[in-house]
Amino acid sequence: MRLKGADMVMECLLEQGVDTVFGYPGGAILEIYDSLYKYKDKIQSILTSHEQGASHAADGYAKSTGKVGVCMATSGPGATNLVTGIATAFMDSVPIVAITANVGLSFLGKDSFQEIDITGITMPITKHNFIVKKIEDLAPSIRKAFKIAREGRPGPVLIDITKDVTAGYGEYEREEIDTDSNKVSNFYKEENYNESFEKAVELIEESKKPFVFVGGGIKSSNASDELKKFVELIDAPVTDSLMGKGAFDGKSSRYTGMLGMHGTKASNLGVAECDLLVAIGTRFSDRVIGNSDGFASKAKIIHIDIDDAEINKNVLVDLGIAGDAKYVLENLNLMLKKQDHTEWMKEIENLKDKYPIKYNKNVLTGPYVIEKIKECFDDNTIICTEVGQNQMWAAQYFHYNSPRQFVSSGGLGTMGYGLGAAIGVKYGNPKSRVINIAGDGCFRMNMNELATASRYNVPIIQVILNNKVLGMVRQWQTFFYEGRYSDTVLDDQVDFCKVAEGLGCKAVRVTKMDELEKALLEADSYNGPFVIECMIQEDDKVFPMVAPGKSLRDTFDQDDL
């Protein structure tokens, strides 16, 4: 069948099971947007307020569904505005496909109006990228892009298409493609797996104090069920990274809380005392391990990850298994005998009892807001966050019991991520309640996406924890810079409620603890975007904390101070 290039893009998206795209039109991509209009009954196009919001929406859609998220932008500044979102997805291994259009082939390399080498710019922050200059390459490039984005360790792929390709005509033949996101990847299967599995079983059976550390790879491989069985078999406690939230049930008695800089003392001290650490689907970020020389110093370490480049990169391990977490755990579960570590589990339970996370319950605080959200809403609620104190409180005080219930920017730490992501999450999960937790500093970054939410009447709840400062940066300035609060005070005349109302949303301000529940329930019953601004104290801190360069053993909280 002979098709216009832009229509071919639509047909290839339909092949891949795409139902929603997020983006912003412009001159070079007009042909594709013209086709989106013709295909509007099959693919919904969400016009965001800024291209960065589109890339975060695609990220949130992908994180919360396991499908590939799609965003679009025109050439030049449209394409470069996607860069932060693409980098965010790259750092968190999120499968998105970014489609940009460039100037016509004859104008490339001539500094033409709105021309930019977007493939060159994004090369370090994509799994792969394409520039399509011939129409016969268009459909194969799109199909390869989706395959690369979802296979193995997921990640972003960019396709840049010259305008003459989108306007030209070529032959198209539909392909049937398996887009089952639950399908176990056979990527990175090694010939010596049996030897590795036997060694893992040997290390586990020798262990008296095992600890399991899980990251976002469990979610990517849909391995939560296998993880639960594995943990029961080896009779171990479980901690997670920020990206691992929800991979293991946060309400389980085995769960000890997050690990790392703002991890619980039970997790940090437990990992410091364990004799075997089984790390699955995690890259051992510096925010997790602290001083690498003192990390899990008493333990042998098994590291399971689909990307063999991560093994022995940040932490030297005793056994590395490069493979899909679901596949590896399925096989280990078949080989393992039930272990009994009653005394070790009692030791961990004592740590949890001795060092609970806590906060001042007499005033309105960030943790109180999170706990009230947890109290008011059911387990079908998906929490998105911005970055900073709001993010850490949401990680610490909300108990996630399903794998895709927590959506945040981990590796890049992108302020302004959450609101766009929440819109994408809602489109991917229309029956779920979606709440974005923000600090006032992050909210300023991309609050224009409230206009997107009101344009489409997207019923999300935006909670702002407003302490009128850049809270996490101020916390560091308090502890490590002798209280020199350089450019972190935001005490100005901005009224977020008026801004929200001006952008078409309902908004209320909460200043007292007893006002919060009413506001949350009102937001829940409102059919549209609702903003709740919570006024908290400027010097609220996130505890526990590990100072930069210190070991996890050096975790401190307000009592230690």
Side-chain angles (χ1 to χ4, degrees):
M1 151 169 56
R2 191 165 177 79
L3 282 183
K4 195 175 190 178
D7 293 340
M8 203 178 292
V9 173
M10 298 301 110
E11 290 293 339
C12 287
L13 293 180
L14 291 174
E15 285 180 1
Q16 301 294 333
V18 173
D19 54 22
T20 307
V21 299
F22 306 91
Y24 205 98
I29 203 169
L30 274 178
E31 292 287 351
I32 289 177
Y33 268 83
D34 188 54
S35 287
L36 270 173
Y37 183 85
K38 292 186 287 185
Y39 281 76
K40 61 185 177 182
D41 292 338
K42 297 179 180 179
I43 299 175
Q44 59 181 341
S45 174
I46 306 304
L47 173 64
T48 55
S49 298
H50 190 283
E51 291 91 350
Q52 185 178 339
S55 58
H56 293 328
D59 183 301
Y61 180 97
K63 268 197 179 101
S64 63
T65 64
K67 301 176 184 177
V68 178
V70 179
C71 56
M72 293 183 175
T74 196
S75 62
T80 57
N81 281 343
L82 292 178
V83 168
T84 298
I86 293 170
T88 301
F90 182 75
M91 289 291 283
D92 289 344
S93 303
V94 182
I96 70 170
V97 169
I99 298 174
T100 57
N102 216 322
V103 298
L105 183 59
S106 62
F107 294 96
L108 284 179
K110 298 181 179 179
D111 294 332
S112 304
F113 178 66
Q114 291 193 333
E115 179 198 355
I116 200 75
D117 178 13
I118 193 60
T119 55
I121 290 170
T122 60
M123 187 176 293
I125 54 168
T126 53
K127 282 187 72 178
H128 194 74
N129 59 31
F130 301 83
I131 180 166
V132 181
K133 301 177 181 179
K134 298 186 293 184
I135 196 161
E136 54 264 39
D137 294 335
L138 181 56
S141 295
I142 294 173
R143 290 163 183 155
K144 287 177 185 176
F146 276 85
K147 185 174 187 292
I148 292 168
R150 68 164 64 95
E151 77 175 358
R153 179 178 183 172
V157 179
L158 179 134
I159 312 165
D160 193 36
I161 311 168
T162 59
K163 187 169 183 178
D164 46 318
V165 169
T166 66
Y169 284 82
E171 290 299 319
Y172 165 79
E173 184 175 343
R174 180 177 175 82
E175 287 190 7
E176 296 300 325
I177 296 170
D178 180 7
T179 60
D180 181 7
S181 63
N182 293 314
K183 185 177 180 182
V184 176
S185 169
N186 291 328
F187 209 53
Y188 289 108
K189 280 192 178 179
E190 300 176 346
E191 290 182 1
N192 65 342
Y193 260 2
N194 288 338
E195 182 181 333
S196 296
F197 291 161
E198 288 169 2
K199 178 64 175 175
V201 170
E202 180 183 328
L203 289 173
I204 290 168
E205 290 181 346
E206 289 174 353
S207 170
K208 304 298 183 186
K209 297 181 176 183
F211 218 121
V212 176
F213 170 42
V214 301
I218 291 289
K219 301 180 185 182
S220 298
S221 66
N222 297 290
S224 286
D225 290 343
E226 290 76 15
L227 172 66
K228 181 180 179 182
K229 184 175 180 180
F230 175 76
V231 168
E232 294 294 332
L233 279 170
I234 72 170
D235 194 22
V238 182
T239 182
D240 55 20
S241 68
L242 185 70
M243 290 292 96
K245 286 284 163 194
F248 186 79
D249 186 357
K251 296 179 181 179
S252 168
S253 61
R254 294 186 179 276
Y255 181 64
T256 61
M258 192 166 61
L259 185 69
M261 179 172 282
H262 293 293
T264 63
K265 280 193 171 183
S267 292
N268 288 356
L269 298 178
V271 166
E273 289 299 317
C274 74
D275 65 7
L276 176 69
L277 182 66
V278 184
I280 311 168
T282 178
R283 60 188 177 84
F284 286 119
S285 158
D286 57 297
R287 288 297 174 100
V288 162
I289 65 175
N291 187 321
S292 60
D293 291 337
F295 178 73
S297 58
K298 296 182 178 181
K300 293 182 178 178
I301 300 176
I302 300 172
H303 188 187
I304 301 166
D305 199 279
I306 199 163
D307 187 352
D308 55 357
E310 293 296 341
I311 296 173
N312 290 318
K313 185 177 83 172
N314 295 329
V315 171
L316 294 178
V317 302
D318 297 272
L319 174 63
I321 303 178
D324 184 279
K326 189 180 183 79
Y327 173 81
V328 173
L329 289 176
E330 280 178 343
N331 283 273
L332 287 178
N333 288 343
L334 291 173
M335 300 172 68
L336 284 164
K337 297 176 182 177
K338 182 75 170 69
Q339 306 294 301
D340 183 0
H341 301 116
T342 303
E343 291 304 312
W344 171 235
M345 292 303 298
K346 285 180 180 177
E347 188 176 334
I348 293 299
E349 198 61 36
N350 289 337
L351 284 175
K352 289 166 66 176
D353 292 341
K354 185 177 180 180
Y355 300 116
I357 53 173
K358 56 187 178 181
Y359 61 92
N360 183 354
K361 298 194 176 184
N362 297 316
V363 294
L364 185 65
T365 64
Y368 176 80
V369 174
I370 304 300
E371 290 208 319
K372 184 58 70 171
I373 290 171
K374 179 178 66 177
E375 178 186 317
C376 288
F377 299 135
D378 60 28
D379 291 340
N380 196 38
T381 300
I382 299 175
I383 300 294
C384 302
T385 81
E386 299 291 347
V387 170
Q389 289 181 321
N390 67 88
Q391 180 186 38
M392 294 298 103
W393 287 325
Q396 291 174 329
Y397 289 96
F398 196 99
H399 296 150
Y400 302 93
N401 62 345
S402 59
R404 300 190 183 276
Q405 194 181 2
F406 178 76
V407 174
S408 189
S409 168
L412 199 63
T414 306
M415 293 177 70
Y417 166 85
L419 181 52
I423 292 170
V425 169
K426 187 63 180 178
Y427 275 99
N429 306 267
K431 295 182 179 180
S432 295
R433 182 185 296 101
V434 178
I435 302 175
N436 183 48
I437 312 293
D440 50 316
C442 289
F443 183 65
R444 290 167 184 261
M445 293 277 184
N446 281 326
M447 60 186 176
N448 54 349
E449 293 306 333
L450 286 180
T452 307
S454 66
R455 178 185 301 117
Y456 297 102
N457 201 40
V458 184
I460 58 174
I461 301 174
Q462 169 67 64
V463 176
I464 307 166
L465 304 177
N466 188 355
N467 54 8
K468 294 186 177 293
V469 295
L470 297 177
M472 187 61 85
V473 185
R474 182 184 177 89
Q475 180 167 329
W476 279 52
Q477 288 173 331
T478 299
F479 290 142
F480 312 123
Y481 293 89
E482 299 177 341
R484 293 186 292 275
Y485 300 120
S486 176
D487 288 329
T488 51
V489 178
L490 307 175
D491 190 9
D492 51 30
Q493 301 304 308
V494 176
D495 186 322
F496 289 136
C497 288
K498 287 183 178 178
V499 169
E501 290 168 353
L503 292 173
C505 305
K506 184 75 181 291
V508 299
R509 181 175 292 113
V510 171
T511 60
K512 299 176 183 177
M513 296 172 71
D514 59 8
E515 298 171 346
L516 181 57
E517 183 171 342
K518 179 183 176 182
L520 289 169
L521 296 178
E522 183 183 355
D524 192 40
S525 63
Y526 183 71
N527 184 29
F530 197 105
V531 175
I532 304 174
E533 181 185 19
C534 301
M535 309 305 297
I536 66 173
Q537 296 179 335
E538 66 179 12
D539 277 317
D540 281 357
K541 301 286 192 298
V542 176
F543 289 114
M545 185 175 185
V546 178
K550 295 292 186 179
S551 165
L552 296 188
R553 289 183 180 276
D554 299 318
T555 306
F556 67 91
D557 58 22
Q558 58 268 57
D559 292 339
D560 298 313
L561 294 178

